[in-house]
Amino acid sequence: MNSFTVLWESALKKLESYYEANQNTIAFSTYIKILSPAFEENGKYIFKVPNEIYKEQFQERFAPLIFQTMKECCLETYGQDRALEIFYYTPEELDQYLLNRPAAPRALGDIALNPNYTFDTFVVGKNNNLAHAASLAVANSPGIAYNPLFIYGGSGLGKTHLMHAIGNRILEQNPSARIIYITTEAFTTEFIESIQKHTSEAFRNKFRKVDVLLIDDIQFISRARETQEELFHTFNTLREANKQIILSSDKPPEEIPRLEERLISRFKWGLTTDIGLPDYETRVAILKKKAPYIKELTHCTLEIEDEVFTYIASKEDSNIRDLEGALNRVIASAQLDSSLRAITLNVAIGALGNFFTSPVSKVITPKNVIRKVCEYYDITEEEIMSKTKSRNIAYPRQIAMYLLKKLTDLTNQKIGECVGLTNHSTVIHAYKKISEDMEKDPDLQGILTDITQKIKE
């Protein structure tokens, strides 16, 4: 997640609260939410919009509010008022701009760490205590403790927070440390550009001469064979020099589809640790930790009663983003009523509406179950429906059958048909095997929980 993305995520939360408070969520969903941050350079923020019609709507109706919100987020994130310009480009305009613009040199160790993501702002619970302890150890002794550190877990659970916290702590202790934080997508893009522009040596120097390399969402590297080759040599160079490597993913190394065995083994050389969904006590603690920060951003002076925190935390399948979004909504709603002296339980109940019921009301379809399993394992629906018996296809197929049996009312015969099988006994075998594997492998339970959460979203 680069600095533009971090800034835009903060702005999105503010804008969502604004439009919800003004009962205009359709405008937010139709226009604001689809904005895609393309890149930023020298205070120039460029968004990609679908077409000319959307571009005109943005410039006429939404540009002033987006600009003001981005200015506020810059001040809150960086502690200073920055000059900025915002542009909206269609895909064609963006391609033309990138084609004509001169390549800007990027300095070694050019990083974009969110200063709000520190160990002090991270709430520790049973779901993340090992990941937190390992991250703290790495931050205090980079290159010595747990190298590489591999953190995995579902979306919105705190992986990126811990990565930024490691980088921020290392810089506190050693301001001259050379650190690069980058997403896998950005790493791949830079690698491809280095080939096209014949700057491969500069690319290697950039990533192989750092003290700390943090790569987010490493699961996406499975799509690029040549990038895996480059990462393999970069990994070896850094580790041989005792430089710290931290990786994050939505699944453990051995579950990343099409990842080379030599990378799987190297990713597991140090420590692999997961982050799960927070339990009730941790959810309450997260809400209480975030409340002062959210109140400061929204200029809210109302006290929040404890019952509000416990009410929001009672939603069992919530990740951190869900919790923060719910609290934002409650605070925004309360600020519309000037007669309030505190944010009470009744205010929260009125503001959240279907927050607790929406997952239940969603119909779970076989197609969606199969789609989410395929997305997790990076295979196609055609592959899961095929007769292929290789483990990288057969095991996801068994997981799909297990989830279909758990989450739907389909018969074994119908479940088999959903994955291209005619023998219902195969479904029985798959359900039994996955159930037994879960007892022997705690990581599998986390994987199934993650997929189930995505199915219900």
Side-chain angles (χ1 to χ4, degrees):
M1 189 181 298
N2 58 33
S3 57
F4 189 1
T5 305
V6 170
L7 200 62
W8 179 234
E9 283 198 354
S10 298
L12 263 183
K13 291 174 184 175
K14 283 176 171 285
L15 290 165
E16 183 176 20
S17 297
Y18 172 84
Y19 281 100
E20 283 180 348
N22 286 274
Q23 298 182 339
N24 194 4
T25 55
I26 294 176
F28 176 80
S29 301
T30 306
Y31 292 98
I32 307 295
K33 202 171 182 180
I34 68 162
L35 273 178
S36 175
F39 66 91
E40 179 272 335
E41 58 180 7
N42 301 322
K44 184 176 183 178
Y45 292 83
I46 296 179
F47 287 98
K48 184 167 71 174
V49 297
N51 52 48
E52 281 290 342
I53 296 174
Y54 272 87
K55 180 178 176 179
E56 290 177 9
Q57 290 292 322
F58 278 117
Q59 292 174 333
E60 291 177 10
R61 297 173 54 191
F62 306 106
L65 180 60
I66 292 174
F67 177 82
Q68 186 58 40
T69 306
M70 289 283 286
K71 287 279 285 183
E72 290 176 9
C73 290
C74 270
L75 180 61
E76 292 157 0
T77 301
Y78 302 110
Q80 57 184 15
D81 188 13
R82 292 187 173 187
L84 60 86
E85 295 178 282
I86 296 178
F87 296 86
Y88 304 97
Y89 286 172
T90 64
E92 296 75 18
E93 289 173 334
L94 184 59
D95 288 343
Q96 191 61 42
Y97 177 82
L98 293 174
L99 187 65
N100 296 334
R101 116 186 197 268
R106 299 185 65 175
L108 178 67
D110 182 24
I111 59 176
L113 295 175
N114 187 334
N116 296 316
Y117 287 170
T118 66
F119 288 112
D120 291 337
T121 58
F122 188 84
V123 178
V124 183
K126 293 178 182 178
N127 64 309
N128 59 27
N129 55 356
L130 178 57
H132 172 267
S135 299
L136 196 56
V138 165
N140 291 328
S141 301
I144 299 173
Y146 311 130
N147 197 15
L149 175 62
F150 192 103
I151 306 171
Y152 73 93
S155 175
L157 296 179
K159 302 186 300 294
T160 299
H161 188 139
L162 281 178
M163 296 183 80
H164 283 256
I166 292 170
N168 284 320
R169 175 62 62 87
I170 291 173
L171 284 177
E172 283 178 15
Q173 299 173 342
N174 180 13
S176 63
R178 296 171 298 177
I179 299 176
I180 289 181
Y181 166 83
I182 193 169
T183 63
T184 299
E185 183 180 6
F187 181 86
T188 302
T189 300
E190 287 197 31
F191 174 62
I192 293 171
E193 287 182 356
S194 73
I195 295 174
Q196 294 171 338
K197 298 176 181 178
H198 308 290
T199 57
S200 297
E201 190 62 32
F203 174 87
R204 294 189 182 107
N205 286 335
K206 172 181 177 177
F207 288 100
R208 297 182 189 181
K209 292 185 177 180
V210 297
D211 298 309
V212 182
L213 177 62
L214 305 104
I215 304 182
D216 217 344
D217 293 325
I218 198 65
Q219 71 272 12
F220 294 126
I221 205 167
S222 62
R223 303 171 183 170
R225 287 290 179 187
E226 289 188 18
T227 309
Q228 288 192 46
E229 176 76 21
E230 184 64 30
L231 179 62
F232 171 77
H233 295 296
T234 298
F235 185 103
N236 288 342
T237 300
L238 292 175
R239 198 166 186 278
E240 287 170 6
N242 294 320
K243 304 302 182 182
Q244 182 66 50
I245 303 164
I246 302 107
L247 308 168
S248 83
S249 170
D250 64 354
K251 53 181 72 70
E254 64 273 13
E255 295 291 342
I256 298 177
R258 302 183 180 90
L259 184 64
E260 295 178 5
E261 284 295 331
R262 57 182 181 171
L263 281 177
I264 293 175
S265 65
R266 280 162 175 77
F267 289 174
K268 296 170 73 174
W269 273 352
L271 177 68
T272 300
T273 180
D274 72 314
I275 300 180
L277 285 169
D279 58 19
Y280 172 75
E281 291 79 8
T282 306
R283 293 196 295 272
V284 172
I286 289 169
L287 288 165
K288 289 186 174 182
K289 189 87 170 181
K290 288 188 172 292
Y293 175 68
I294 295 173
K295 286 175 62 179
E296 182 181 352
L297 292 184
T298 56
H299 308 292
C300 175
T301 58
L302 298 171
E303 289 299 316
I304 304 175
E305 295 184 355
D306 283 346
E307 286 179 318
V308 173
F309 299 126
T310 57
Y311 175 67
I312 298 173
S314 65
K315 190 173 190 295
E316 293 187 356
D317 59 348
S318 303
N319 61 34
I320 297 169
R321 290 189 190 128
D322 291 335
L323 297 171
E324 189 170 355
L327 186 56
N328 263 312
R329 189 184 305 180
V330 170
I331 292 174
S333 177
Q335 288 182 292
L336 294 176
D337 188 345
S338 59
S339 67
L340 290 177
R341 295 295 175 264
I343 300 177
T344 65
L345 176 60
N346 287 336
V347 173
I349 292 172
L352 292 178
N354 64 356
F355 177 68
F356 290 93
T357 59
S358 55
V360 178
S361 62
K362 178 174 180 178
V363 176
I364 296 175
T365 63
K367 185 172 181 62
N368 193 39
V369 172
I370 293 170
R371 182 187 300 120
K372 294 304 180 183
V373 171
C374 289
E375 288 175 0
Y376 187 89
Y377 285 100
D378 197 21
I379 61 176
T380 65
E381 293 181 39
E382 288 75 17
E383 286 174 319
I384 211 169
M385 295 283 289
S386 70
K387 304 298 182 184
T388 303
K389 295 183 179 180
S390 60
R391 177 175 169 79
N392 67 313
I393 303 297
Y395 200 70
R397 186 187 298 129
Q398 289 177 322
I399 284 179
M401 288 187 279
Y402 173 87
L403 290 173
L404 284 167
K405 192 165 180 65
K406 291 283 288 186
L407 300 175
T408 72
D409 295 325
L410 295 176
T411 64
N412 290 334
Q413 185 68 38
K414 287 292 185 182
I415 291 173
E417 292 172 4
C418 288
V419 294
L421 301 173
T422 56
N423 188 350
H424 74 275
S425 63
T426 308
V427 178
I428 298 172
H429 170 74
Y431 185 84
K432 182 180 178 182
K433 174 172 173 53
I434 299 301
S435 298
E436 291 174 349
D437 287 356
M438 285 171 61
E439 293 180 4
K440 295 181 288 186
D441 182 7
D443 290 342
L444 181 58
Q445 175 67 56
I447 291 169
L448 291 172
T449 300
D450 188 28
I451 297 175
T452 301
Q453 182 183 349
K454 293 179 187 296
I455 291 169
K456 292 181 177 180
E457 286 176 351

